Amino acid sequence: QVQLVESGGGLVQAGDSLRLSCSTSEPTFSAYAMGWFRQAPGKEREIVAAVRWNRVGSFTGDSVKGRFTISKDQAKKAIYLQMNDLKPEDTAVYYCAAATRGPWNTPLSAFKYNYWGQGTQVTVSL
């Protein structure tokens, strides 16, 4: 069982930045891809960004393109989401996820991810 642990959420003002982190202590961890999803109250979970784990390739959602950047550190078994110029509409619970069953390229659908973190709240005020 792979456990993903997120950190870095918080309450910030519009225009501020945050960096989310997600890591696992599973010594033999490997995946096809890892991603960040978010879910705002009353809305469906949506993909924010994803990165291929053992290959080059990533995806960034249109709503955050140019402001958010996903990165990975395979040695640390971690991914990060650098969020700049945050807006109130970015307010949501952010989830880290891993797709270890595949094969997938850069999966964008939540059902393709089989491990999930507990989520971290990001709140952006005006």
Side-chain angles (χ1 to χ4, degrees):
Q1 185 75 8
V2 173
Q3 289 189 323
L4 302 175
V5 179
E6 302 124 329
S7 63
L11 171 63
V12 297
Q13 292 186 324
D16 286 350
S17 297
L18 279 176
R19 187 186 192 220
L20 303 184
S21 301
C22 170
S23 63
T24 178
S25 59
E26 172 60 43
T28 60
F29 176 78
S30 185
Y32 289 96
M34 293 190 73
W36 288 100
F37 290 76
R38 68 185 180 185
Q39 188 165 20
K43 295 188 176 181
E44 292 186 355
R45 188 169 297 190
E46 66 169 349
I47 188 163
V48 177
V51 63
R52 298 178 73 176
W53 189 246
N54 291 316
R55 297 187 177 187
V56 174
S58 65
F59 164 85
T60 304
D62 288 341
S63 62
V64 302
K65 196 167 292 184
R67 300 187 297 121
F68 291 12
T69 303
I70 189 170
S71 60
K72 65 183 180 184
D73 186 331
Q74 291 178 287
K76 295 182 178 180
K77 300 184 182 65
I79 62 169
Y80 308 95
L81 185 68
Q82 178 65 44
M83 305 186 294
N84 297 329
D85 189 23
L86 282 159
K87 302 178 180 182
E89 51 264 40
D90 295 319
T91 295
V93 177
Y94 284 70
Y95 298 91
C96 168
T100 66
R101 300 171 186 162
W104 310 117
N105 288 324
T106 313
L108 306 184
S109 300
F111 79 89
K112 295 182 178 179
Y113 291 81
N114 53 310
Y115 290 108
W116 293 82
Q118 79 285 357
T120 185
Q121 177 71 45
V122 172
T123 303
V124 184
S125 64
L126 287 170

